[in-house]
Each structure stands twice: as C-alpha cells, then as structure tokens.
Amino acid sequence: MRKAAALLSLLGHVSAAAPERPMLWPLPQQVASGSDTVVIAADAFDFQPASSPSQELQDAFGRYKAQYFKRRAPAPPAAAVAAATVAVDNDAADLQLGVDESYTLKVSADGIAITAKTQFGAYHAMETLSQLIIFNATAKAYVVNNAPWSVTDAPRFVHREVLIDTSRHYQPVASLKHIIQSFTYAKVNTMHWHIVDAQSFPWIAPSAPKIALGAYSEQEKYTIEDIQDVIEFARARGVRVVMEIDTPGHAASWCSGFPDVCPSATCTMPLRPDTNATFELIEKLIGDLAKVAPDAYFHIGGDEVNTDCWSQNADTVKWMDANNYTAHDGYLYFVQRVTQIVQKLGKHVVGWDELWENFGTQLDKKTIIHQWRANHLAVKPAVQAGYQVIWSNDGPWYLDHEDQTWQSMYEANPCDGLTDKECSTFVLGGGGEMWAERIDESDLQNTIWPRMGAIAERLWSSADQTQVAADAEKRYAYFRCYLNHQGVGAAPYNNPLARTNPPVPGSCYLQ
C-alpha cells in the first residue's frame, strides 16, 4: 500500500509540455471522465474475453498489448489494474460497408471493461484505450489520468477512406501495411486502392499476365498473392480494401501488353469500346481481383474521359457509325458494359462524379457516385434522385494538395446543402485522396498525417461537436504526437505546407 501511495504522490507532482489529461481523437460520441489516476500493470496486463475468442480477436489482443506497453517499467503496485474484460456479440463478423463498429469502454480503479457488437467495434475500443494509457517517465509507470472514464461511441459515417495511388509511384507491400496500420489510430476503415493508372500497371494479373508489361520495372509489380496479403492484413485491423481499376480513361499503361484495346500507339486512351477484347480483358482483371478482394464494392473510375482518340481508330469510327453513336453514346455504352461485368461478379459499382454529370439517372440505381471535383457538384442532384454518394472534394480533402491546411480539411462539410435526413440516408462518408504524382515511400506518411486526422474526425464524430477547427486544435496537436509515438512520421501539426520540417527546436506538442 505504501508503494502505491508513493507512486500516486509522485504522479501528482509531474509537469511536462504534454497535457496530463488524455485527449481522444477522433472525439467519441459520448465521453465522461473524472479526476483520479489509475495505474496499469504493464507486466501482467491481459484481455479477458467473455467467451472463447476468434483467432482474429486473439491476434488483436496481442497487437494492442504491444502497442500499449512499448517501454520498460518496474513492477507496479499490487493495486494496479491488470486486465480488461471484453464482451463481443459476434467476433467473426464479415467486414463489409455498414458493419457495426460501435463500442463502450469503461476505465476505473476497479478495472477496464469493453463491450462491442462485433470485433471491429472492439478494435476501436482497444484503440481508444491506447490513447488513454500514458507512460509517465518520472514515475516509470503506465497510468490513465482523469479516471473513471466512460465512453460510448460509434461512427457518424460508415465509409471513411484514404485513397492510395500505386501507379504514379509504386508503394512496396511493407509500406502499404505500415500505412494501413496507421489508419487504425484515427479509426479510418477503408483503403481505396487505386492500383493502376496511365503511368504504370504494377500488377501481374493471373488471367492476363502480359498486362504487367506496363509496370515501371520488375521490382515494381504486385503479384496476386501480394494483393491478397495486403487485403488480409487490412481486414485483421478492421480496414476494408476497395479496389479500383479506372476505365475507360487513365489506361495508357494497358497498351504495352494489350495494344489492341487502345485506339493507337500514339493516342492511347480511352480504351476502345468497339471490340469485345476490351471487355474480355476487363472481366479477367476484375475477376482476378474479385477472387481475393471480398469487399462488396468495386470502383470503376470513369473520370476525365476525353474521347478524341476514338476518332483516330478506323474500326472504332466504323462501329460508332454503324450504331449511330456519338462519342458520348460510346462512353455510356462502355460504362454500362463495365457495370454489367462488375455486377456479374457479385459486386456493386462505385464511380467518379463524371458518371453522374454525363449520364445521371441512366446509371444503374445502385451505382455509388464518388464526388471529387470542387466545381462540379454531383452530391445534391444525385441524392435527390436517390443515389448514394461518397464525398472526397478536390481541394480540402485531396491530401496531395500540400497547401490545404488541417483547418480547411476539418471544416469541410460532406453534407453541405443537404437536409439531415438526406445526409444520413444517402451520404455514405468520404475520405482523403492521396494521389501520388509527387509521393512515394519517402514522403507518404508525412503527407497523409496528421492532416488525415482532421478528415477522420469529421467522418467519425458527431456533426455538432466538430464544426470549428479552433475548438479541436489542442486535441489535434496531441494526436499528432500520439502518431509519432506509434512510429508514424506525422509532420508538425501547424505547418503552412504539408510535410514541412519543424521550424525550430521545441516540444512536439507545441509545433
């Protein structure tokens, strides 16, 4: 008892630049705290499931214990909390859009208790607990300040993504795994994998291996096993992977292996709509991915389609004339054929907002419209026509725009102009888009983080608590330092430009 009293006395006299009160990010829906300090027994701590846990949940227990207790500490007093009870209704739930991610977390001197409907909610609870557990270096102890804590939480939006572009610059598998792990710290639940584009085709498709002739080099290609490995790694952390193959534009890299699907050697895209070879190849590619990517959604792109090259291919012109098609009709035909392929493979279609602008209600009603262009607002008319949408506006939510501050990202509203009912019914969520023209492994982390945290909180937390960036600034600065402690190279939080170096020596919490 004397050891416990001495430790608590020491804890009460510690000062530091970092705030002693834990600051949670993203902000939970409901949270209450007190004024006590609870010591955690790092050496003996364990999770105690209410029933025999699935292997996924067992693995998560091990990951989070390692995340909580990174530093050596002497044995704590006998009164320290040594366990967290975990009760999950279904710990083998399928990871799909809309899966229940809710949880409750209670922390007091009497113990720690987690409840959740699925293992994915339990993961979020364990992450919130990670942000509460602090290592006090002076006392050499793991503690939770401001106990007791009571958290009741669930996301506002079901789709919270980061787009990762692996065509403009190849990202090694290890890099993808590292960035997926970082998603969990902000409760981001989706990696939108823009795997190919005009610049390179870095994937050896089993059904069409020649397509990888469009890769930059032999060392910059994914195998199907690599893709499956990344998807399984993500799933184990509650992160969906939505694959994208952008068509008919952004496809110049296809021409190296399959020149016949391109208009000409010098005018390479969009892909030809007049030959079945194009759609047979697309079906092979999407089919290969469908075998390893269990998510119910597939992104077909459809953006930035300039049909001028079609006029340079005599067969395409002949086909359009025979069908009395304009170039616009050919574009619609292409989108409808690819939609049929995706649906045949048991997936739902997601596409960029040009699809709505060009075709409106001619699109299949289950098509999800992904808004990206700041000056072409598809959300309101699409919603009013009964289509669901995702919001990733070019400007505030494009992570490659280094001049976008975290404040502008935080205060962007995916439901601007919509009623509350329209927002909750038709807006699935959104995310930050990490286009990679100037991004590779060397600067991926500090371009995404910490600014993606601003987007993540807007997508997770209640709207009425996350309106003003200034109100969140202290927590945001704290979150940046939390990321650093987890091994994420998050840039200084108040940078005028993303990924800028710290301006002067100083505390992480003040830069």
Side-chain angles (χ1 to χ4, degrees):
M1 182 62 75
R2 260 187 254 167
K3 182 177 180 182
L7 178 58
L8 291 173
S9 175
L10 182 59
L11 289 167
H13 290 87
V14 172
S15 62
E20 289 302 299
R21 177 184 177 83
M23 295 190 177
L24 300 178
W25 195 282
L27 191 67
Q29 302 294 337
Q30 298 177 34
V31 59
S33 59
S35 57
D36 297 335
T37 296
V38 172
V39 181
I40 307 297
D43 61 334
F45 187 87
D46 207 356
F47 292 97
Q48 297 178 348
S51 58
S52 180
S54 66
Q55 187 61 52
E56 279 191 6
L57 192 57
Q58 282 185 315
D59 291 344
F61 291 161
R63 285 198 308 274
Y64 276 100
K65 283 170 60 178
Q67 182 172 315
Y68 297 163
F69 309 118
K70 289 185 170 71
R71 300 170 67 174
R72 292 185 182 182
V81 172
T85 63
V86 182
V88 182
D89 292 350
N90 177 9
D91 67 2
D94 190 18
L95 181 60
Q96 294 292 346
L97 180 72
V99 69
D100 195 303
E101 299 176 84
S102 65
Y103 70 91
T104 68
L105 170 67
K106 297 185 183 299
V107 182
S108 72
D110 296 326
I112 299 169
I114 290 169
T115 67
K117 299 292 186 184
T118 70
Q119 72 271 34
F120 308 116
Y123 300 165
H124 294 320
M126 288 186 275
E127 172 54 38
T128 299
L129 180 59
S130 177
Q131 295 186 17
L132 291 178
I133 296 174
I134 295 171
F135 182 75
N136 188 302
T138 301
K140 298 182 182 179
Y142 287 95
V143 299
V144 174
N145 293 326
N146 299 96
W149 286 86
S150 177
V151 178
T152 301
D153 206 7
R156 180 186 176 199
F157 293 104
V158 296
H159 181 95
R160 307 178 305 280
E161 75 166 46
V162 174
L163 178 146
I164 299 295
D165 170 7
T166 57
S167 173
R168 276 58 178 254
H169 282 95
Y170 177 85
Q171 291 291 342
V173 169
S175 174
L176 293 175
K177 288 182 176 181
H178 197 182
I179 207 67
I180 288 167
Q181 177 61 40
S182 75
F183 292 175
T184 65
Y185 307 136
K187 299 182 172 68
V188 172
N189 73 346
T190 305
M191 182 174 95
H192 172 173
W193 193 347
H194 187 88
I195 190 169
V196 301
D197 208 289
Q199 289 80 4
S200 78
F201 201 110
W203 165 43
I204 307 169
S207 297
K210 287 197 304 180
I211 197 74
L213 291 173
Y216 287 135
S217 73
E218 187 63 31
Q219 297 304 311
E220 294 167 295
K221 298 177 183 178
Y222 302 108
T223 66
I224 197 68
E225 291 81 9
D226 289 332
I227 294 170
Q228 185 173 20
D229 184 27
V230 169
I231 290 170
E232 290 175 354
F233 180 91
R235 178 197 154 73
R237 287 152 181 79
V239 177
R240 300 164 53 224
V241 177
V242 176
M243 303 300 302
E244 179 186 356
I245 294 183
D246 201 347
T247 62
H250 291 270
S253 62
W254 301 42
C255 307
S256 297
F258 291 87
D260 290 347
V261 303
C262 299
S264 76
T266 58
C267 202
T268 54
M269 55 187 182
L271 298 172
R272 288 174 56 188
D274 59 292
T275 172
N276 280 329
T278 299
F279 302 104
E280 290 167 0
L281 177 58
I282 290 171
E283 185 165 357
K284 288 178 181 178
L285 298 176
I286 298 177
D288 284 343
L289 291 176
K291 292 174 184 176
V292 298
D295 200 84
Y297 291 85
F298 193 93
H299 206 301
I300 66 170
D303 61 314
E304 298 181 320
V305 176
N306 181 337
T307 59
D308 289 351
C309 287
W310 285 348
S311 65
Q312 299 187 29
N313 184 286
D315 289 333
T316 303
V317 171
K318 183 178 178 181
W319 173 82
M320 291 172 65
D321 289 344
N323 288 281
N324 197 28
Y325 278 174
T326 64
H328 182 271
D329 295 329
Y331 180 15
L332 174 60
Y333 172 84
F334 197 107
V335 170
Q336 289 175 333
R337 284 286 301 268
V338 175
T339 296
Q340 290 167 4
I341 290 169
V342 171
Q343 291 175 337
K344 175 184 173 183
L345 292 167
K347 307 287 188 183
H348 300 297
V349 168
V350 186
W352 296 112
D353 63 49
E354 285 95 331
L355 298 186
W356 174 262
E357 181 175 84
N358 281 281
F359 311 122
T361 56
Q362 291 177 282
L363 297 170
D364 185 278
K365 198 60 175 283
K366 293 182 180 178
T367 303
I368 293 173
I369 309 302
H370 196 164
Q371 169 74 46
W372 75 274
R373 295 177 300 165
N375 298 319
H376 300 261
L377 301 181
V379 168
K380 190 173 182 66
V383 162
Q384 291 179 335
Y387 289 78
Q388 291 183 309
V389 300
I390 295 169
W391 197 86
S392 300
N393 208 311
D394 180 12
W397 284 11
Y398 263 39
L399 294 163
D400 59 312
H401 291 188
E402 294 177 65
D403 59 345
Q404 287 292 329
T405 65
W406 77 269
Q407 292 94 335
S408 65
M409 291 180 166
Y410 192 89
E411 295 183 353
N413 180 9
C415 291
D416 189 31
L418 302 180
T419 67
D420 289 346
K421 184 176 181 180
E422 287 173 333
C423 179
S424 61
T425 304
F426 295 104
V427 181
L428 298 174
E433 312 302 90
M434 187 64 271
W435 299 107
E437 283 86 351
R438 296 182 300 111
I439 304 295
D440 65 9
E441 165 64 10
S442 69
D443 54 7
L444 179 66
Q445 288 188 39
N446 63 357
T447 309
I448 293 176
W449 299 110
R451 293 181 307 156
M452 182 59 209
I455 299 171
E457 177 153 293
R458 287 291 278 164
L459 292 170
W460 178 278
S461 307
S462 65
D464 60 352
Q465 296 186 80
T466 54
Q467 297 289 334
V468 181
D471 294 343
E473 183 167 2
K474 192 173 182 180
R475 282 189 305 107
Y476 181 72
Y478 189 89
F479 175 66
R480 180 260 170 156
C481 298
Y482 175 78
L483 290 172
N484 288 169
H485 281 285
Q486 302 309 322
V488 178
Y493 87 92
N494 212 19
N495 277 350
L497 291 175
R499 68 177 186 250
T500 308
N501 295 333
V504 294
S507 167
C508 171
Y509 298 93
L510 301 176
Q511 293 184 334

